[in-house]
Amino acid sequence: IDICFLAGAFAAIQQSANYQRFPAEYSDGWAWWTLSDSWEASTLFTVIFAQFVSGAMVFSLGDEFRQAVWRSWPVFSLSLALFGFTLFLILSPSNPLTRLFHTASENFNAPGTDSPAWKAYQEAGHPAADTSMPMEMRGVLAALVIANALALMLWQKIGVEGAFGTAIKTRFPTKRLLIG
């Protein structure tokens, strides 16, 4: 499920009219952090970080031998805060926090950019351009992240803990080794 949503997010950004592939050939390999000045990195961070948080929540929904995550307010609150922070980062216009996290709402290919890869790209004769991710594309990413979390919850409740999971357990029972 997660891989499908990640692939969908990458397909979506590449279809955007504003999309410009990150010029990795102008990036120094030793300066790995400069690779984050791109739509690709923002997409990867947004989708995968949200998947980590929503996955942790889904696996803590509670079942026969577990208590549900919402019964632990500190854990539940932190999970919601982390998920909300991810959405805030991708949906926010350019601000100090989005600059700190190198979110694609920034225009990394602006004239006089601080980004080493984009600066080298421009020095190689390529034009500076507004490569910031438009709000509508960031909205699509946020919608994909939310849909991904809902799909995980549905799969857990209907597939794993529901009729499908019960049918699999019945058809392929676990053989446990008895010790003692």
Side-chain angles (χ1 to χ4, degrees), residues 63-64 155-174:
D63 193 22
E64 192 174 344
W155 172 247
Q156 179 68 23
K157 283 303 192 186
I158 295 170
V160 176
E161 297 172 13
F164 179 74
T166 303
I168 294 294
K169 288 179 211 169
T170 304
R171 175 74 175 99
F172 303 102
T174 303

Side-chain angles (χ1 to χ4, degrees), residues 28-147:
D28 292 325
W30 60 269
W32 57 267
W33 58 90
T34 64
L35 297 173
S36 66
D37 295 340
S38 66
W39 283 30
E40 295 89 350
S42 287
T43 301
L44 197 62
F45 168 76
T46 301
V47 174
I48 291 188
F49 186 74
Q51 288 174 345
F52 286 154
V53 174
S54 59
M57 291 285 288
V58 166
F59 295 134
S60 301
L61 289 175
D63 193 22
E64 192 174 344
F65 301 107
R66 297 188 308 253
Q67 200 172 39
V69 67
W70 52 81
R71 293 189 181 244
S72 173
W73 285 105
V75 173
F76 187 62
S77 300
L78 181 61
S79 298
L80 289 179
L82 287 171
F83 196 83
F85 179 70
T86 306
L87 293 176
F88 170 79
L89 274 179
I90 198 64
L91 292 173
S92 292
S94 179
N95 63 54
L97 203 54
T98 60
R99 283 189 284 283
L100 177 68
F101 279 85
H102 292 251
T103 307
S105 56
E106 302 299 322
N107 181 14
F108 300 116
N109 191 21
T113 184
D114 292 334
S115 174
W118 288 106
K119 187 179 220 170
Y121 175 80
Q122 292 172 11
E123 290 169 355
H126 302 284
D130 184 3
T131 57
S132 59
M133 190 182 289
M135 181 59 190
E136 72 178 28
M137 178 51 43
R138 291 182 282 136
V140 167
L141 283 180
L144 280 170
V145 161
I146 293 168

